[in-house]
Amino acid sequence: MTAARVGIGGPVGSGKTALIERLLEHFAQADIEVAVITNDLVTNEDAERLRRNGQLAPERILAVQAGACPHTVIREDPTPNLVAADRLDRQFANLDIILLESGGDNLASTFSLDLVDWWMFVIDVSGGDDIPRKRGPGVIKSDLLVINKTDLAPHVGVDLETMFGEARRVRNNATVLGTNCRAGEGITAVAKEIRDAVLFR
Amino acid sequence: MVYGQTLGQPLVLSAVLGNTREPSWHDRAHAADAAGELEIVRIAPADAPRRRMRLRTDKNRDIAIALPREIGLVDGAVLRNEDGLMIVARIDAGPRLRLTPADLASALRLGYFCGNLHWKANFVKDSIEIQMDGPDRPFQDRLADARKLCAFTVERLEADT
């Protein structure tokens, strides 16, 4: 089997790269072979951050530059990401999973299922507890919604119970998980969702 | 349980063996059904492009589809046929909206409008068919906006038409 492909989207600064860093720790402990494709506008910023961290061999981290709105290369024409993922598949025959991180985008951002098998959308509490209520397609259509930076709720006047309740309501009770990526909280539950959905173990 | 499936683990299906639209597979599916050995897995049209999925058959069997990248799922795909078990995928067309523009200018504007909304669209003769991957209301709200820009008719097509 070729590697599973999992998309990670969400607004700028919501914690997508931080979540990937935590997931890499989890997957390493579980002997799951991973590669990552990052997307940025006109730089390789996120790929360079991951390479600096040293959790993966540098050649397992590829960067795609969208050159325009990030959603264009994960939905309208995902060719650059498909080419990168195919290259990783050819280069690393034992890969279990490829994580594709979108560049930071707005709430309308979604992944083409021609590109990924499953995808999650990351928002954070400091964006405001009304974010789920705005019913952005990323919030509604993703396979998993992650609300990050839960530790900041009391500092930004967010009622977590209300925010999670509204998120579940607009998603018709599809899964919503909370994380605090800086402290590593909630990561195991996110990893379990991925493993159940596309790794089957 | 069948050979190849471990308790608590899904039955992994990693190939498309054929399609029940082909006469030979149609006959085999008919025979399997008569013998009580046919299971159907229903897949929403919006999910069909996925290469990996965790689903349950109509007999509540936990299955995991993991297809090669070059293989796409279509209605009637035979995913397993061994050890007294045939599994067939059913993907109906799903509800759609058929939009038919009144004239060339309306066609251009309508096409541009649908593209801006990132709607999944198929061109059928002189119409655009929009795949409805959610409730009607948001589609109707946006089409009300479009009516201010161009002239067109709307026909709702149900699943399996």
Side-chain angles (χ1 to χ4, degrees):
Chain A
M1 289 193 292
T2 53
R5 296 179 183 178
V6 165
I8 302 168
V12 175
S14 59
K16 297 181 294 299
T17 311
L19 177 58
I20 287 175
E21 289 167 340
R22 290 300 187 179
L23 286 172
L24 290 179
E25 293 170 7
H26 175 97
F27 289 144
Q29 287 167 8
D31 290 326
I32 292 169
E33 296 288 334
V34 191
V36 179
I37 300 170
T38 64
N39 285 204
D40 275 302
L41 277 177
V42 291
T43 67
N44 298 335
E45 194 69 34
D46 288 337
E48 286 164 7
R49 170 174 163 179
L50 290 173
R51 286 175 185 143
R52 277 196 303 273
N53 286 349
Q55 293 169 288
L56 281 182
E59 60 270 24
R60 288 192 177 214
I61 302 167
L62 298 185
V64 165
Q65 293 184 7
C69 295
H71 61 78
T72 57
V73 289
I74 62 166
R75 183 176 58 205
E76 283 79 10
D77 180 7
T79 306
N81 279 304
L82 284 168
V83 168
D86 288 348
R87 179 177 151 194
L88 288 167
D89 264 333
R90 281 195 306 274
Q91 200 170 348
F92 302 101
N94 62 340
L95 271 187
D96 295 307
I97 187 168
I98 299 172
L99 302 175
L100 291 108
E101 181 190 359
S102 169
D105 208 326
N106 59 42
L107 300 179
S109 178
T110 57
F111 276 85
S112 165
L113 294 178
D114 292 317
L115 174 62
V116 298
D117 304 309
W118 186 94
W119 61 283
M120 58 183 142
F121 199 73
V122 183
I123 60 175
D124 74 278
V125 298
S126 61
D129 56 12
D130 57 345
I131 294 290
R133 219 165 41 233
K134 294 182 178 178
R135 305 180 64 89
V139 170
I140 290 175
K141 293 184 177 180
S142 52
D143 295 299
L144 169 66
L145 177 68
V146 175
I147 301 178
N148 189 31
K149 307 182 189 177
T150 49
D151 55 312
L152 296 185
H155 307 293
V156 292
V158 163
D159 182 326
L160 274 184
E161 194 175 335
T162 301
M163 190 173 184
F164 276 81
E166 290 187 336
R168 293 192 174 99
R169 182 174 56 79
V170 300
R171 286 171 54 78
N172 290 324
N173 288 320
T175 310
V176 180
L177 294 174
T179 54
N180 170 2
C181 288
R182 290 195 76 170
E185 293 169 5
I187 307 302
T188 303
V190 175
K192 183 178 185 309
E193 288 289 320
I194 296 170
R195 294 176 67 166
D196 285 349
V198 296
L199 295 178
F200 318 134
R201 61 187 170 106
Chain B
M1 296 296 293
V2 296
Y3 175 77
Q5 185 173 20
T6 310
L7 187 66
Q9 289 291 308
L11 178 64
V12 177
L13 308 170
S14 54
V16 173
L17 308 173
N19 193 292
T20 55
R21 291 177 184 173
E22 301 160 18
S24 64
W25 281 105
H26 178 272
D27 293 346
R28 276 185 265 186
H30 188 73
D33 191 19
E37 297 176 348
L38 176 67
E39 296 189 17
I40 301 294
V41 57
R42 296 200 175 276
I43 298 170
D47 289 329
R50 296 179 198 259
R51 297 300 191 276
R52 290 196 182 210
M53 282 177 274
R54 186 81 176 261
L55 299 160
R56 288 194 176 268
T57 68
D58 59 348
K59 293 183 180 166
N60 205 32
R61 184 186 302 278
D62 184 11
I63 62 165
I65 296 174
L67 296 178
R69 293 287 152 198
E70 66 276 15
I71 303 292
L73 259 186
V74 294
D75 183 53
V78 179
L79 299 168
R80 182 186 171 100
N81 185 39
E82 61 182 281
D83 300 323
L85 174 64
M86 177 182 273
I87 297 179
V88 173
R90 285 283 170 234
I91 307 165
D92 69 37
R96 287 153 290 149
L97 291 175
R98 179 180 291 164
L99 313 180
T100 306
D103 48 50
L104 180 58
S106 292
L108 288 168
R109 289 186 176 183
L110 188 61
Y112 188 82
F113 185 87
C114 293
N116 268 349
L117 289 169
H118 311 300
W119 282 347
K120 191 132 189 166
N122 289 312
F123 294 94
V124 181
K125 294 184 180 172
D126 295 332
S127 301
I128 306 171
E129 287 188 4
I130 305 298
Q131 190 79 52
M132 300 175 73
D133 56 357
D136 282 32
R137 181 62 185 273
F139 289 92
Q140 298 297 347
D141 286 349
R142 298 289 75 78
L143 287 176
D145 297 337
R147 287 188 191 287
K148 299 167 191 164
L149 306 170
C150 49
F152 59 92
T153 60
V154 181
E155 180 185 0
R156 193 181 197 285
L157 306 174
E158 299 304 325
D160 287 319
T161 56

